[in-house]
Amino acid sequence: MTTTARVAQLWVYPVKSLGGTARDRVRLAPAGPEGDRAYTVVDAASGEVLRGKHAPGLGELAPTGDPRADARAVTGALGRPVRIEPASGGSGADAAAVHLVSRQAIERAANGDVPEGCSADDPRANVLLDLPDDDERAWVGRTVRIGSAELHVTRTPKHCLGVYAEVRRPGEIAVGDAVLL
């Protein structure tokens, strides 16, 4: 295995569609980072799960860790009552267990190199990489080891930067860890 990158930042999004929380280390379980998207915002009247693309501004709200306080904050921001509920199956992640994106991908996007249909806005990635000599999109179908975890890179996202990966071997990862390809 070859070191191709380093972990620059780690993010967990405790409430799906709300802002993230930076972490120095996180345990990757089969469903993804522990605590990531563990709760969802639900419209109190309809029971519909609300997402950031349908309720702009959610991503700017910082979760407190208290579902009742978070529900009050979201209710105030949206002007309609909501509940914060545990995610079905323990995770509200839509596409994959882990989302990795490099600083270089964000820089390329800022310079106009954005894949078709992709948004260069907040990629909401769990693992931000410093990847000076590679492009994570070339990792699809490959295995990476970070800390004591092993990930299989499955695909590029349809509407955002970086790559998606599944957890093959759970383990702990930390800021500064080498990414071995």
Side-chain angles (χ1 to χ4, degrees):
M1 297 190 100
T2 305
T3 299
T4 60
R6 293 250 173 229
V7 175
Q9 294 179 353
L10 293 170
W11 289 89
V12 173
Y13 298 87
V15 180
K16 184 174 176 59
S17 297
L18 267 59
T21 303
R23 300 274 171 88
D24 290 330
R25 57 177 61 275
V26 68
R27 177 158 176 72
L28 293 182
E34 288 184 350
D36 189 54
R37 295 166 176 96
Y39 292 89
T40 58
V41 178
V42 177
D43 184 284
S46 70
E48 172 190 8
V49 173
L50 300 178
R51 294 188 165 85
K53 61 185 170 186
H54 300 116
L58 286 179
E60 289 154 28
L61 298 173
T64 65
D66 176 352
R68 288 186 178 155
D70 292 343
R72 286 191 298 273
V74 175
T75 293
L78 296 181
R80 61 180 169 178
V82 302
R83 298 184 309 267
I84 304 294
E85 296 182 352
S88 174
S91 174
D94 290 328
V98 182
H99 182 190
L100 303 99
V101 67
S102 67
R103 287 180 171 165
Q104 291 72 19
I106 293 170
E107 290 170 9
R108 284 191 304 270
N111 291 326
D113 180 13
V114 183
E116 186 176 336
C118 178
S119 170
D121 296 332
D122 179 13
R124 301 184 62 79
N126 302 114
V127 182
L128 179 68
L129 304 170
D130 187 19
L131 181 64
D133 298 321
D134 203 353
D135 182 336
E136 67 271 23
R137 294 174 293 189
W139 295 356
V140 173
R142 308 228 12 224
T143 298
V144 296
R145 189 178 321 144
I146 307 171
S148 60
E150 189 173 279
L151 308 172
H152 178 69
V153 180
T154 57
R155 65 186 176 93
T156 57
K158 185 174 182 180
H159 297 295
C160 58
L161 304 174
V163 292
Y164 287 147
E166 298 301 328
V167 178
R168 280 205 171 149
R169 184 175 64 213
E172 189 170 280
I173 66 174
V175 170
D177 279 351
V179 178
L180 304 171
L181 181 64

